[in-house]
Amino acid sequence: FGLARVLRLGGESVGCRVYIRRIQKEERGTLGRGRGLEGALDGLLECVFDLVLDDREGVVIEDALGTVPRDTPRTEAYSHGGYALAIAGAEWSIAVLFAVVATGLGGRLERLAGKITRHVRWKVTVYAVLFGLLTFALALPLSAYSGFVREKAYGFANQTFAAWLGDAAKALAVGLILQAALFTVIYMAIRRFGRRWWIAGSALGIGGLVLVVAIGPVFIAPLFNDFEPLEDAELRRDILALANAQ
């Protein structure tokens, strides 16, 4: 789009300056762990649209950015490849679930869970953990390619593979805890309410989602990102001004 033209169009655009500085810090490797570039780019793109289209007046500024260049072959390859990977990931997940049922692997996992514990509720919890480990292991090659190899090749990641694998392991641990809790609670609802279990299950599911959203920024996000006081006083002032303007 041309950042200079965007800034001239918006004048003293606080929003654009915030995102541009975030991108610059990300390129220098000083923002988080290399995972903020995509968010900063998305924010800058949204800022550009806000500049081009005045939502309050409903007026489109003609030719605000001049001639918008076509996507480069590299950009198109990244986008189209992402679509293909999303479809492949969904198909792989369906295939894994079908294989678990068709091959009797689900039954073997159930028997293994029964050997670990005889308590019915804990058996469901153990089964959920075993099932989560199985699906993670089967999806790991595709996840490693899409989340690390491909992002590294396109310059959107600066993590080492060990760091990426560490984040994947932490995500697995969080997912296993949440999945085991969800499976156990739903099973308890089925036993308690019979055919009306879905009412209690839906309420518990919504409550659990609200809880995860509430604790996510405090307990989960710090597992994957480093949060430190912002030392750039000017950038901090711009961010606060942007927040106060909303």
Side-chain angles (χ1 to χ4, degrees), residues 89-106:
E91 292 178 344
W92 180 251
S93 297
I94 294 173
V96 168
L97 294 177
F98 178 80
V100 168
V101 175
T103 62
L105 183 57

Side-chain angles (χ1 to χ4, degrees), residues 3-12:
L3 293 179
R5 304 187 71 174
V6 171
L7 293 176
R8 285 199 301 269
L9 174 65
E12 294 298 323

Side-chain angles (χ1 to χ4, degrees), residues 3-237:
L3 293 179
R5 304 187 71 174
V6 171
L7 293 176
R8 285 199 301 269
L9 174 65
E12 294 298 323
S13 174
V14 174
C16 282
R17 290 207 309 271
V18 168
Y19 293 117
I20 291 171
R21 291 189 182 188
R22 285 182 59 191
I23 292 172
Q24 292 172 343
K25 284 179 173 290
E26 179 63 33
E27 290 178 343
R28 294 195 298 267
T30 60
L31 181 63
R33 297 178 182 169
R35 301 171 63 89
L37 179 59
E38 184 176 350
L41 290 173
D42 289 342
L44 180 59
L45 182 59
E46 184 175 340
C47 173
V48 169
F49 280 117
D50 287 341
L51 293 175
V52 175
L53 178 61
D54 187 345
D55 293 327
R56 292 170 297 179
E57 301 295 336
V59 177
V60 177
I61 303 175
E62 297 293 342
D63 197 29
L65 300 177
T67 302
V68 179
R70 294 177 58 87
D71 290 338
T72 64
R74 181 180 176 84
T75 301
E76 291 186 351
Y78 179 81
S79 298
H80 296 168
Y83 303 147
L85 284 172
I87 295 173
E91 292 178 344
W92 180 251
S93 297
I94 294 173
V96 168
L97 294 177
F98 178 80
V100 168
V101 175
T103 62
L105 183 57
R108 289 196 288 272
L109 289 178
E110 182 181 3
R111 290 190 292 273
L112 178 58
K115 293 180 180 179
I116 296 175
T117 178
R118 295 185 178 181
H119 195 284
V120 176
R121 293 177 183 175
W122 286 115
K123 184 177 178 181
V124 174
T125 304
V126 172
Y127 183 93
V129 171
L130 294 175
F131 181 79
L133 290 172
L134 174 65
T135 54
F136 172 81
L138 293 176
L140 184 59
L142 183 60
S143 298
Y145 172 75
S146 62
F148 176 77
V149 176
R150 188 167 180 270
E151 296 298 306
K152 197 83 169 178
Y154 281 94
F156 292 144
N158 57 17
Q159 283 184 306
T160 63
F161 182 70
W164 179 88
L165 200 59
D167 280 350
K170 287 183 285 187
L172 171 63
V174 172
L176 289 178
I177 293 172
L178 297 177
Q179 179 173 287
L182 177 63
F183 277 32
T184 304
V185 168
I186 289 179
Y187 183 78
M188 292 170 60
I190 293 174
R191 288 176 59 88
R192 175 66 177 81
F193 298 100
R195 292 185 177 182
R196 295 183 179 180
W197 70 269
W198 59 272
I199 300 177
S202 298
L204 292 170
I206 294 173
L209 180 60
V210 172
L211 178 63
V212 171
V213 171
I215 68 175
V218 180
F219 297 104
I220 298 178
L223 297 174
F224 305 95
N225 300 276
D226 293 327
F227 295 98
E228 300 175 353
L230 186 59
E231 298 179 356
D232 190 327
E234 185 177 356
L235 179 58
R236 181 170 59 250
R237 185 172 59 252

